Amino acid sequence: PFEGEWDGREHTLAGFRLTAPLDNSASGLFAVASQAVIHDLTFAAAVVALADDTDPAMASHATGALIGRGEGVTVERVRLGGGIFVSGHRLVGGLAGLLSDSIVNGVEAEATVMGTRTIGGAFGLLQDTTVSNTTAWADVSYVPPAVPSSQNAGSFGGLFGFAYGDTVISHSESHGVVFAVPEGEGLQGVGGFGGHLYQGATITHCVSTASATGGGLVGGLLGSLTDADVEWSYATGDATGMWPKTGTAAGFIGNVGQAMNSASIHVRNSYSTGDAVAPTSAAGFVFTGVNSIDNPGGEPVIENCYAAGDAVALDTGEPWEPNDAAAFMISRSGSLPLTDSSFALGLSLIHI
């Protein structure tokens, strides 16, 4: 692994091309980086892709233009701009495929990112990582693997695919388009900002204008949130669900869930203005499943939030799930506590 300091001295690296061999566990300018510092560098016209016949069973493969897999790294003042294309299977990001115990600050990522599982405009997967002042202008999309796989399509987001642990993302933005509609079965999280925020992770003071279209759980900010927190953030992009059997969409978060009874979930001081359209369930702000959510001490889950977009559920005539629409929230369990300071301005409609 690369373990030193890379000072780009504000130079531009252009025309970088890499087609990863089949036996690599990671691909990027720095395939693996550990305890490294990388700063003051601009990428332009870079292409990083796996070989066409790579087996998607290589679940450990991580792909990014700068870093494939990084642990304990610091990345500052790095820009991906102009003709950046990154393609892989699992753990694919415009900047990095996987980062753990790392720090990212002042990054700009303008990229086209394609993959099959856990894909983000800047980061595929974030574990115990701090991200601040980072912006992604990205087109993120699902592509089927060259070799068929039974795995579902995971999570897709404008900035990151999946984030968990002590990850904190602050003062960051995503813009562009996220489109992930797999051909096979399997739920996924698809969000304008992130795919899935999980167990202990936090988003604060962040913005998404990206539109999100996908199968399963789709949200203007997040596709899915489990045992995590979002505060002081907003989303303006539309959320569209595409699967008749499982398509749900919400203006802010496609699904809020609790995996551990002792965990707390907070969505505070946030709003959405985009519309939510789905074939089964559409909510102006948030959707929750059948399991109850009970914060320790009875704390409210959603506080000081509002939704201004419309929610439209499209009746496809299929008997899979009841079609329902709500201007603010749909809770299948009926147990999600709210405060009086959360409200909706948009309309709800079931289109027959």
Side-chain angles (χ1 to χ4, degrees):
F2 175 70
E3 298 177 338
E5 177 185 3
W6 181 280
D7 182 357
R9 299 186 180 182
E10 301 183 357
H11 291 304
T12 297
L13 176 62
F16 176 67
R17 297 266 192 289
L18 173 65
T19 299
L22 300 183
D23 58 350
N24 273 11
S25 64
S27 301
L29 179 64
F30 302 100
V32 179
S34 178
Q35 310 302 319
V37 178
I38 303 168
H39 60 93
D40 297 296
L41 176 67
T42 296
F43 262 83
V47 176
V48 179
L50 298 188
D52 291 339
D53 56 349
T54 303
D55 188 345
M58 294 175 59
S60 63
H61 204 111
T63 305
L66 183 68
I67 299 172
R69 185 182 301 268
E71 180 180 0
V73 303
T74 297
V75 180
E76 294 184 303
R77 299 178 301 278
V78 171
R79 182 175 184 269
L80 308 182
I84 305 298
F85 177 84
V86 182
S87 177
H89 287 301
R90 186 184 179 192
L91 308 177
V92 183
L95 183 85
L98 184 156
L99 291 179
S100 62
D101 298 304
S102 297
I103 297 172
V104 179
N105 181 54
V107 166
E108 298 180 9
E110 183 179 350
T112 296
V113 185
M114 305 172 69
T116 303
R117 183 177 172 86
T118 315
I119 315 298
F123 314 103
L125 186 146
L126 297 170
Q127 175 187 358
D128 303 327
T129 291
T130 298
V131 176
S132 58
N133 303 303
T134 292
T135 301
W137 292 271
D139 288 334
V140 178
S141 60
Y142 168 86
V143 291
V147 180
S149 172
S150 61
Q151 295 178 331
N152 66 35
S155 50
F156 292 71
L159 187 82
F160 69 89
F162 190 95
Y164 72 106
D166 291 329
T167 294
V168 177
I169 304 171
S170 66
H171 300 93
S172 297
E173 303 178 12
S174 65
H175 311 279
V177 176
V178 182
F179 188 91
V181 183
E183 298 176 356
E185 286 287 346
L187 291 177
Q188 64 189 73
V190 180
F193 190 79
H196 195 167
L197 192 71
Y198 189 70
Q199 289 192 341
T202 299
I203 290 174
T204 180
H205 293 90
C206 290
V207 176
S208 175
T209 67
S211 64
T213 301
L217 310 172
V218 186
L221 188 85
L222 291 171
S224 187
L225 179 148
T226 305
D227 302 349
D229 297 332
V230 176
E231 60 183 13
W232 300 107
S233 299
Y234 68 88
T236 64
D238 294 338
T240 305
M242 294 291 287
W243 277 357
K245 187 173 180 179
T246 55
T248 63
F252 199 63
I253 302 175
N255 184 69
V256 173
Q258 191 173 38
M260 300 175 61
N261 293 335
S262 60
S264 62
I265 302 171
H266 299 104
V267 181
R268 295 169 170 164
N269 306 309
S270 299
Y271 68 89
S272 62
T273 62
D275 296 335
V277 180
T280 55
S281 299
F285 192 73
V286 67
F287 173 87
T288 70
V290 297
N291 296 325
S292 63
I293 299 175
D294 299 302
N295 270 347
E299 295 177 352
V301 173
I302 299 177
E303 189 174 8
N304 296 325
C305 297
Y306 74 87
D310 296 334
V312 180
L314 305 174
D315 190 346
T316 62
E318 298 288 349
W320 307 115
E321 293 188 42
N323 297 96
D324 43 9
F328 189 80
M329 176 193 68
I330 295 174
S331 178
R332 292 286 169 80
S333 68
S335 65
L336 184 65
L338 295 172
T339 66
D340 292 336
S341 55
S342 295
F343 59 93
L345 299 174
L347 301 175
S348 61
L349 174 68
I350 297 178
H351 187 274
I352 300 176

